[in-house]
Amino acid sequence: MSTHCNEVLVTWMGLCMAAAGVLNTLGKEMAYGRFWDREGRPRVMLPARLAWCTQEMPSLAVPVILLLVHVGSSERGSVDTVNIVHLAMFCGHYFQRTFIFSLLSRGRPTSLSVMVKAFVFCTLNGYLQSYNLLKCKSYPSNWLTDARFLIGSIIFLAGVAMNIHSDWILRNLRKPGEYVYRIPRGGLFELVSGANFLGEIVEWIGYALATWTFPAFAFAIFTIGCIGPRALHHHRYYHEKFSDYPKSRKALIPYFL
């Protein structure tokens, strides 16, 4: 890859991202969705669809811009196929989150501060993942048949399916304009309260295995630290709100946690 790779920058950004995810496990519920007023009612609220689309967009736009700049540069006019495959996996997730999940969302309005924080993170992470793939990481020619790529890709796709199906179940629990909460049933929700969170965690663990890069593993750690606790909070919320909530369900990991 390009000799302009700044490995120190990549390493420190990855370490900071992983640390942020771990430190998040020590915090309280993030103030959006059902917990939107836990820190006092936000002054500025945005429609859920607008907020989600805006905050997720950088994770798609930044890699695409960097790719176009990289391909258009005079020093290098192409990108290795393996790196493009990995970049497509990352961008594919965020295309779905930006243009499908966001536009179908029936969630509560989101505070401006939460949206801004997510926007900043998505910008930095989008830059880190794509910069590393375009400037730093080189793969052997047989990587697409390597066990790490094959196993990681299967896990990644399984996580995508789990996440999208769980989001579909949650979305159909309410009618447009409703903000009520009901017990989710079907799919992985029969096993865990945070099926959608589990799907996304599985997805990024698979991506980390498939790409075998430090930034991808850092992102997986961040995801576990960021949305893992949210699954625990949702599990507790369901038990407090519904007396008939299934006792056998776990919060995040089937039969265990």
Side-chain angles (χ1 to χ4, degrees):
M1 301 301 288
S2 171
T3 57
H4 289 166
C5 167
N6 190 330
E7 294 184 1
V8 175
L9 171 66
V10 170
T11 300
W12 277 106
M13 284 185 69
L15 285 172
C16 289
M17 181 169 61
V22 172
L23 290 174
N24 188 74
T25 64
L26 304 176
K28 52 187 176 181
E29 298 96 337
M30 295 180 67
Y32 73 91
R34 68 197 66 194
F35 305 118
W36 71 279
D37 59 349
R38 289 297 172 93
E39 298 178 356
R41 301 207 171 189
R43 293 183 179 180
V44 181
M45 301 294 291
L46 300 172
R49 293 180 179 179
L50 174 62
W52 276 104
C53 182
T54 302
Q55 71 189 36
E56 302 289 302
M57 180 68 75
S59 288
L60 175 62
V62 171
V64 171
I65 292 172
L66 286 183
L67 175 62
L68 293 175
V69 171
H70 183 76
V71 171
S73 65
S74 57
E75 69 171 68
R76 184 177 181 86
S78 63
V79 184
D80 292 342
T81 300
V82 177
N83 300 70
I84 287 292
V85 169
H86 292 151
L87 198 62
M89 292 167 68
F90 183 82
C91 290
H93 168 89
Y94 281 103
F95 179 89
Q96 192 273 336
R97 298 292 287 185
T98 302
F99 295 113
I100 301 176
F101 172 84
S102 299
L103 297 180
L104 294 176
S105 175
R106 296 177 182 176
R108 286 180 178 274
T110 301
S111 72
L112 177 63
S113 62
V114 169
M115 190 212 73
V116 170
K117 291 175 184 176
F119 180 91
V120 171
F121 172 78
C122 286
T123 301
L124 294 176
N125 187 48
Y127 178 83
L128 175 61
Q129 303 299 330
S130 54
Y131 177 91
N132 183 64
L133 288 172
L134 293 171
K135 297 289 188 178
C136 302
K137 185 65 176 179
S138 295
Y139 293 93
S141 58
N142 65 341
W143 182 257
L144 295 182
T145 58
D146 186 281
R148 287 166 291 182
F149 174 79
L150 295 175
I151 294 172
S153 296
I154 292 171
I155 294 173
F156 174 81
L157 292 174
V160 170
M162 292 159 58
N163 185 242
I164 291 177
H165 183 249
S166 299
D167 282 337
W168 178 83
I169 291 174
L170 289 175
R171 186 165 55 246
N172 285 280
L173 288 176
R174 57 170 67 128
K175 299 176 182 178
E178 278 190 333
Y179 296 132
V180 299
Y181 291 97
R182 300 184 175 95
I183 299 175
R185 300 187 185 279
L188 280 174
F189 282 112
E190 296 300 321
L191 300 175
V192 295
S193 299
N196 52 326
F197 301 124
L198 174 60
E200 189 158 356
I201 289 172
V202 168
E203 187 177 347
W204 294 122
I205 289 175
Y207 181 75
L209 290 173
T211 61
W212 207 253
T213 65
F214 180 78
F217 277 103
F219 184 32
I221 293 171
F222 175 90
T223 302
I224 294 170
C226 187
I227 65 178
R230 192 159 179 86
L232 301 179
H233 300 152
H234 281 208
H235 187 67
R236 183 174 60 198
Y237 173 89
Y238 283 131
H239 277 285
E240 292 174 350
K241 186 175 180 63
F242 301 106
S243 60
D244 59 339
Y245 194 72
K247 303 297 183 183
S248 61
R249 283 190 198 180
K250 298 300 183 180
L252 183 63
I253 304 176
Y255 311 110
F256 180 70
L257 176 63

